[in-house]
Amino acid sequence: MASPSNGAGTKHGYGLEVSRDDSPDLEQPRRAGGHGVVDDDHQGDFVTLYEERDLSRGLHQRHVSLIALAGAIGTGLFLGLGSSIQTGGPLGALLGYATIGLIVCAVQFALGEVTALLPVTGSFVRHAEFLVDPALGFAIGYNIVYGNWLSVPSEISAICVLFEYWTDINASVWIVLTIVVTFVVGISLIRIYGEVEFFFAILKILLIIFLIILGLVINLGGIPGHPRIGFRYWKTPGPFVEYIAAGRWGQFLGYWAVMTNAVFSFAGVESVAMAAAETRNPRRAIPNACKRVFARVSLFYILAVLIVGMLVASDDPRLNDESGTAAQSPFVIAASAAGIKAIPSVVNAILITSAWSSSNQALLAGTRVLYSLALKGQAPRVLLRTTSWGIPYVCVLIQTAFMFLAFMSLSSGALTVFYWFVDLVAAGVLISWITILLNHQRLMMAMKKQDLPLERLPWHNGWTVYSTPVALFFCVVILFTAGFAVFTTGNWSSSSFVSSYLDIPLVLVAFLAWKFFKKTRMVTLADIPLREALDAVERSPEAPEPEREGWKKWVNVLWD
């Protein structure tokens, strides 16, 4: 398998690049996939011939929609809501999640608009090079890669903790089994990955709907022998919780602390476009997924926060359970209080599938970003090697090696250190969102600079011109205030400070280092080749999806 050279090339399709390498397996310039030719060099900023030829477009609309849904709905929803209620109170938590939900909406629509124009592997990492600066793509790319290298073993460690709820079997058994199964899914056809995530997402959706309905039944007194609760806990102990400070300021800080926690609950929605070059009709499928995933995730989270705030008091001592199993879920606490004994095991089982689903998604995101970095000459060329069925297997093997860090969970001391390292990359979620919004803002500015009407974009919503800068401002503010508690009297913690802020200088150092060694410059708005990208879109219209009929039309409402 040959790799692209650092020299000039010729583009095909969405701007497909043929390297002028002497490797015999590269074909001469031709039409790839039936698309028109773009004779210019952007060094892989458009979809390259390698993606068109070596990757398989095995993901459908339903896969893409539910991959993002599966990634965003997990322990943050099933376990984390109790902590949010404790910190901000029922109303503070509701407002915090609603605020982040609006920011996620702006992020998703910004991502959808840029991806519809540039449906490339690596998503916003490659977009950053095209619209901002190659150094930014390098820095963000490696930030995502090492974040995913650590997140997979952390999810495997979580699975071990969850199995301890039922059995005392040595955790190493679960670690080995999870590594093997995760690797098998990661190295298999992309269609198999899509079907696995599709199945898990359906499980999560059904469980959430069930828990919300069950919560309403318990709250309204539908369980024999248990009185109606209503909004009792909104009155006592109250709708807000004072956090660190007293009075209104303390209540605001509680709300703000919930908002920073909510960011990480929504993490994963941005991965919807990571495998754009492996998606059928990506210019239509991914924007649709961005729009619909936001609506579903926001609806589930807002309803769940509302129900939990009605079921469990913010000062309930049972919320202090730190077992990491279903026992600490506020849904389980409410169900147990109502005498329903089967719920804990059901929730624990879904949590295990959620953790494994998250590890699968981290494997996909990490390997595709690493592959995209190799396309740009920012990673070793050997990473471009793919299987005959279109999987970058060298990238998968490297990330699989990092899964064995999960064996650190066998030592409690090592586990503490390991999770401290995992916390170091938590800010990467916000940095990714900031990059997506910055890419979109630059696209809007370049369209204006080059006198191109926004209506020429494959997918555009008029209000994103305003929502993007507002969301970008809030993301930057939240990023720099995520660890505000350590700056208050008596709350200083070196580990908390480092875990909240170290990722910022790491990204800056990577950005400046690549800029210094490669002498990169910020792309001027006038020089961004938007006309070529727009011309490629018009030359290559995607075929419309066939109309669904009968029962398929009603089932498709879950993802269409």
Side-chain angles (χ1 to χ4, degrees):
M1 170 65 208
S3 305
S5 67
N6 292 329
T10 304
K11 295 290 176 63
H12 300 269
Y14 300 123
L16 304 177
E17 178 180 332
V18 179
S19 170
R20 291 177 182 170
D21 199 0
D22 293 328
S23 301
D25 63 331
L26 283 177
E27 301 176 26
Q28 293 301 314
R30 61 177 178 81
R31 287 180 177 267
H35 304 302
V37 177
V38 179
D39 293 319
D40 196 8
D41 174 43
H42 307 296
Q43 298 201 5
D45 290 314
F46 295 158
V47 175
T48 65
L49 179 60
Y50 289 88
E51 294 164 274
E52 191 77 11
R53 182 191 61 188
D54 298 330
L55 302 180
S56 172
R57 292 190 182 273
L59 295 178
H60 296 258
Q61 169 75 64
R62 62 186 178 90
H63 296 138
V64 175
S65 294
L66 293 193
I67 282 173
L69 192 62
I73 297 176
T75 54
L77 178 61
F78 297 118
L79 300 182
L81 293 188
S83 174
S84 297
I85 297 295
Q86 274 187 312
T87 303
L91 183 54
L94 185 63
L95 292 175
Y97 275 83
T99 304
I100 296 302
L102 291 175
I103 293 175
V104 170
C105 176
V107 170
Q108 287 293 92
F109 275 70
L111 178 62
E113 290 191 9
V114 181
T115 302
L117 180 65
L118 301 167
V120 294
T121 299
S123 183
F124 55 90
V125 175
R126 298 260 296 280
H127 299 161
E129 301 193 16
F130 183 82
L131 296 165
V132 187
D133 190 315
L136 179 61
F138 173 83
I140 298 302
Y142 276 100
N143 186 56
I144 293 172
V145 167
Y146 83 77
N148 283 293
W149 280 353
L150 290 179
S151 66
V152 175
S154 73
E155 295 292 349
I156 295 174
S157 299
I159 290 173
C160 295
V161 175
L162 290 166
F163 269 112
E164 289 176 1
Y165 185 78
W166 291 316
T167 178
D168 294 329
I169 295 177
N170 191 286
S172 60
V173 175
W174 308 120
I175 293 175
V176 172
L177 285 176
T178 307
I179 290 175
V180 170
V181 176
T182 303
F183 171 75
V184 169
V185 172
I187 204 68
S188 300
L189 291 166
I190 189 67
R191 175 73 180 268
I192 293 178
Y193 167 82
E195 295 296 350
V196 169
E197 291 301 291
F198 179 84
F199 175 74
F200 285 148
I202 294 294
L203 279 181
K204 293 178 185 181
I205 291 172
L206 295 176
L207 178 65
I208 292 168
I209 293 173
F210 169 73
L211 291 177
I212 288 174
I213 294 173
L214 176 65
L216 281 173
V217 171
I218 294 174
N219 182 266
L220 298 175
I223 304 297
H226 293 271
R228 181 180 181 274
I229 301 174
F231 285 89
R232 179 190 309 168
Y233 300 130
W234 285 56
K235 298 177 181 178
T236 305
F240 290 98
V241 171
E242 295 178 352
Y243 182 69
I244 296 178
R248 297 289 185 185
W249 178 240
Q251 293 177 351
F252 173 79
L253 292 180
Y255 152 75
W256 195 263
V258 166
M259 193 160 63
T260 56
N261 290 336
V263 168
F264 306 111
S265 294
F266 282 97
V269 291
E270 70 278 0
S271 65
V272 65
M274 282 299 180
E278 296 169 83
T279 302
R280 295 188 180 184
N281 299 324
R283 289 194 168 117
R284 182 177 61 253
I286 290 177
N288 285 345
C290 289
K291 176 174 61 178
R292 291 157 181 166
V293 166
F294 152 73
R296 285 160 176 75
V297 170
S298 297
L299 178 65
F300 288 142
Y301 269 100
I302 298 304
L303 283 177
V305 173
L306 176 63
I307 296 299
V308 167
M310 296 165 63
L311 289 175
V312 184
S314 59
D315 58 357
D316 193 316
R318 292 172 295 180
L319 292 175
N320 294 322
D321 188 307
E322 297 181 354
S323 64
T325 67
Q328 74 180 89
S329 171
F331 291 107
V332 171
I333 292 172
S336 298
I340 305 175
K341 298 180 179 180
I343 296 300
S345 289
V346 172
V347 172
N348 203 65
I350 299 297
L351 281 173
I352 290 173
T353 65
S354 297
W356 185 47
S357 171
S358 297
S359 70
N360 287 336
Q361 188 179 67
L363 180 64
L364 179 78
T367 54
R368 271 42 176 193
V369 170
L370 194 57
Y371 179 86
S372 72
L373 290 170
L375 281 173
K376 299 292 296 181
Q378 296 171 341
R381 300 167 70 174
V382 69
L383 297 172
L384 290 173
R385 294 184 179 275
T386 59
T387 64
S388 59
W389 53 90
I391 300 297
Y393 68 89
V394 179
C395 297
V396 173
L397 288 172
I398 290 176
Q399 185 147 344
T400 300
F402 279 86
M403 294 184 198
F404 288 91
L405 288 173
F407 279 99
M408 295 175 68
S409 63
L410 299 179
S411 166
S412 58
L415 182 61
T416 300
V417 174
F418 176 72
Y419 275 111
W420 183 75
F421 278 108
V422 172
D423 288 340
L424 294 179
V425 300
V429 176
L430 278 167
I431 292 176
S432 294
W433 291 2
I434 289 170
T435 304
I436 291 169
L437 294 166
L438 180 61
N439 291 340
H440 183 259
Q441 184 65 25
R442 290 276 297 175
L443 174 62
M444 295 296 100
M445 295 168 64
M447 293 287 287
K448 182 177 180 181
K449 180 73 174 179
Q450 298 180 29
D451 293 322
L452 294 170
L454 295 177
E455 290 73 20
R456 284 197 66 187
L457 290 172
W459 191 64
H460 176 65
N461 299 272
W463 59 274
T464 58
V465 176
Y466 310 101
S467 65
T468 290
V470 173
L472 180 59
F473 169 78
F474 273 100
C475 283
V476 172
V477 172
I478 295 171
L479 175 64
F480 283 99
T481 60
F484 74 88
V486 302
F487 299 109
T488 58
T489 304
N491 291 308
W492 173 259
S493 168
S494 298
S495 60
S496 296
F497 172 78
V498 171
S499 64
S500 296
Y501 295 110
L502 183 61
D503 203 47
I504 299 174
L506 287 180
V507 171
L508 288 175
V509 168
F511 173 80
L512 295 174
W514 190 260
K515 202 166 183 61
F516 175 77
F517 287 110
K518 295 295 183 178
K519 311 298 182 185
T520 66
R521 295 183 180 180
M522 178 175 286
V523 184
T524 61
L525 296 176
D527 290 337
I528 297 174
L530 293 180
R531 294 183 188 278
E532 297 170 29
L534 292 168
D535 289 345
V537 173
E538 293 171 359
R539 280 196 306 271
S540 315
E542 294 180 345
E545 288 285 342
E547 287 289 332
R548 303 286 183 178
E549 297 181 356
W551 64 271
K552 292 184 178 180
K553 180 178 181 180
W554 296 105
V555 172
N556 276 17
V557 76
L558 287 171
W559 54 85
D560 281 348

